[in-house]
Amino acid sequence: MNFTENIKIALNAVRSNILRAVLTLLIIAFGIMALVGILTAIDNAIFSLSDNFNRLGANSFSVFPARDGVSGNRKGKKAKRADEISFKQAMAFKDKFDFPGKVSVSMWCTGNAVVKYEKEKTNPTVLLDAVDENNLYVKGYEIEYGRNFTEIEVENGSNKVIIGKDIVETLFDDKPQRALQKVIAVGNIKYKVVGILKSRGSSMNQSDDRRVLIPLMNGKRYYGSSKKNYRIGVAMANSTDMDSGIAAATGLFRNIRRLKASQENDFRIFHSNSLVEIITENTTNLRMGALIIGLMTLLGAAIGLMNIMLVSVTERTREVGICKAIGATKQNILVQFLTEAVVICQMGGIVGIILGVLIGFGVAHAMDGNFVMPWNWIGLAVFVCMVVGIVSGLYPALKAAKLDPIESLRHE
């Protein structure tokens, strides 16, 4: 018998005991679903996070004040909280950082601004940032219509504004050309629209398009205070200089913060790839857990499949005798029953793969990320199903192959 005949016989055997085969198939499917689904969900979650963080700019890093204190809790003394980055410190860094690249200084103003134009207005959920002329480049934003702020507008605090696509959709009926050069009100302050950002969609369940940017000095004038933190972003001209740039930024900012050689950094430098690398490393145990869960479920499926194959051998003893009587060898019988076990496993595997991929797609959709087809996990699932089928079907197949043809023909 050739391979095609074995497949046909296996499918006929499945059809003749459809309920029993389907129940076993479903157990295998749920095991593969757990295996592929969890692994796919993890991969897509990491991919979505990586995509979101890379929107900061592929070659960029940011400087933040340390949040965990700058000194140990020694001799009963409570750890000191790091000071915010002041406007003076941020501008000093921008002036003195001479590594190839661009430095941006920005300030978060509010997350509940209301933007108005004539009779139209937004909900109080608009993000308002005060930025300099380098911010768009460092953060990876693009201007779709209009222009960026000029250096003079930033220094003078001009009443100019760059708005996101959601603002255009709400106030200007989604017509960007109509929005340019119009005067809108952000809170109680009026600004002239000079630019419209290219849509970037949602990031971490928050729309990047529901954003308004104003010149840095304008934001400092209306939203600044002595406790206000200023954000520093650096975009390197070449990604290969990232480590050297971070080292240079660390040394420079230590001098600006006037830290002694014995003092630890009271600031931290965040690189867009750092958190993704940490998350990827920490998901190793999660992946191992997914493998164990899937394999435990498949172990139960393997036992069930072996039981079904043993019953099938008993029910088809006379059939085996007839096959041997007309010339079938032990090897033919062995391959036939092994093929049947593998076919049942692979059918269950296909159902499990489809369900697992759908779970991964759901996770990617929930995170507003892009779905990545898990070809590696699909390949693993097919291989595991093959192994389970062979292991589960081997003993029943050997038992069928060893049946005496005369005794088998007498079997009722």
Side-chain angles (χ1 to χ4, degrees):
M1 289 185 291
N2 57 33
F3 179 74
T4 305
E5 284 183 87
N6 285 325
I7 295 292
K8 289 180 179 178
I9 294 172
L11 292 174
N12 288 332
V14 170
R15 279 195 294 268
S16 63
N17 296 285
I18 188 67
L19 180 60
R20 191 167 61 191
V22 166
L23 291 175
T24 306
L25 183 150
L26 288 176
I27 298 174
I28 295 169
F30 286 127
I32 294 297
M33 180 187 71
L35 184 68
V36 175
I38 297 175
L39 293 173
T40 304
I42 292 171
D43 282 355
N44 278 280
I46 292 173
F47 181 81
S48 296
L49 288 171
S50 178
D51 183 57
N52 288 329
F53 288 126
N54 282 336
R55 291 179 182 181
L56 296 174
N59 306 328
S60 68
F61 62 87
S62 302
V63 184
F64 297 96
R67 297 297 182 186
D68 299 324
V70 294
S71 61
N73 193 6
R74 300 174 182 175
K75 298 182 180 180
K77 293 181 180 180
K78 193 174 181 180
K80 180 184 176 183
R81 185 182 178 87
D83 294 332
E84 305 291 352
I85 298 175
S86 67
F87 176 77
K88 183 178 179 180
Q89 290 173 345
M91 295 308 294
F93 181 90
K94 182 177 180 180
D95 293 337
K96 296 178 181 179
F97 188 77
D98 57 359
F99 229 81
K102 291 187 177 182
V103 178
S104 167
V105 176
S106 62
M107 180 185 75
W108 181 80
C109 298
T110 179
N112 55 4
V114 176
V115 184
K116 303 176 185 176
Y117 175 71
E118 294 181 348
K119 295 181 180 179
E120 301 293 335
K121 69 176 181 178
T122 66
N123 292 327
T125 55
V126 176
L127 300 175
L128 177 61
D129 288 322
V131 303
D132 64 5
E133 70 282 359
N134 293 332
N135 183 263
L136 299 185
Y137 176 82
V138 173
K139 295 297 183 182
Y141 286 99
E142 295 181 46
I143 293 287
E144 187 170 18
Y145 299 94
R147 61 175 177 82
N148 189 15
F149 298 132
T150 66
E151 189 173 350
I152 294 175
E153 287 172 341
V154 172
E155 292 176 355
N156 294 339
S158 301
N159 282 34
K160 304 292 173 63
V161 67
I162 297 172
I163 61 178
K165 291 297 289 290
D166 283 0
I167 312 301
V168 175
E169 183 177 343
T170 302
L171 301 184
F172 299 97
D173 196 26
D174 202 17
K175 296 178 180 178
Q177 295 87 345
R178 183 183 160 204
L180 289 175
Q181 302 304 313
K182 294 296 190 297
V183 176
I184 63 175
V186 182
N188 297 321
I189 313 300
K190 292 185 177 181
Y191 296 89
K192 180 182 285 188
V193 179
V194 296
I196 296 168
L197 296 173
K198 186 176 181 179
S199 177
R200 298 213 305 182
S202 297
S203 173
M204 306 295 286
N205 290 323
Q206 179 177 309
S207 176
D208 260 359
D209 297 333
R210 198 169 185 79
R211 184 181 300 275
V212 171
L213 306 178
I214 59 176
L216 181 62
M217 294 305 293
N218 188 287
K220 183 175 183 293
R221 182 189 307 151
Y222 295 112
Y223 297 93
S225 68
S226 59
K227 297 294 183 180
K228 198 70 175 179
N229 180 66
Y230 289 82
R231 299 176 298 195
I232 300 173
V234 181
M236 303 301 298
N238 193 327
S239 59
T240 58
D241 295 332
M242 183 64 71
D243 291 339
S244 300
I246 290 175
T250 302
L252 173 60
F253 206 62
R254 282 185 61 86
N255 290 333
I256 291 173
R257 300 278 268 191
R258 297 182 179 178
L259 297 176
K260 297 178 181 178
S262 60
Q263 290 180 292
E264 295 181 2
N265 294 338
D266 65 347
F267 58 91
R268 56 195 174 95
I269 293 182
F270 173 78
H271 179 211
S272 59
N273 290 335
S274 301
L275 187 55
V276 177
E277 290 171 0
I278 293 171
I279 293 171
T280 303
E281 290 174 4
N282 290 336
T283 53
T284 301
N285 292 334
L286 194 56
R287 282 195 178 93
M288 289 301 299
L291 283 169
I292 292 171
I293 292 170
L295 292 176
M296 286 177 64
T297 308
L298 288 171
L299 177 62
I303 294 171
L305 179 59
M306 182 180 291
N307 181 54
I308 282 181
M309 294 306 299
L310 287 170
V311 172
S312 180
V313 170
T314 302
E315 291 177 344
R316 294 159 61 188
T317 299
R318 187 175 178 82
E319 176 188 328
V320 172
I322 294 171
C323 289
K324 286 192 171 185
I326 61 176
T329 64
K330 288 184 177 181
Q331 183 179 357
N332 293 143
I333 302 299
L334 177 69
V335 172
Q336 179 186 329
F337 278 87
L338 270 180
T339 302
E340 184 177 329
V342 172
V343 166
I344 293 174
C345 268
Q346 292 296 354
M347 290 172 67
I350 291 171
V351 175
I353 287 169
I354 293 172
L355 294 175
V357 169
L358 289 175
I359 290 174
F361 178 81
V363 170
H365 179 72
M367 297 186 68
D368 294 316
N370 295 321
F371 175 70
V372 180
M373 184 61 73
W375 296 113
N376 50 343
W377 303 130
I378 291 174
L380 175 64
V382 171
F383 174 75
V384 168
C385 285
M386 180 69 72
V387 172
V388 170
I390 292 173
V391 171
S392 301
L394 185 59
Y395 175 71
L398 286 171
K399 184 177 179 181
K402 292 178 181 178
L403 287 174
D404 183 84
I406 298 174
E407 294 297 327
S408 299
L409 287 169
R410 292 176 180 173
H411 185 79
E412 296 293 335

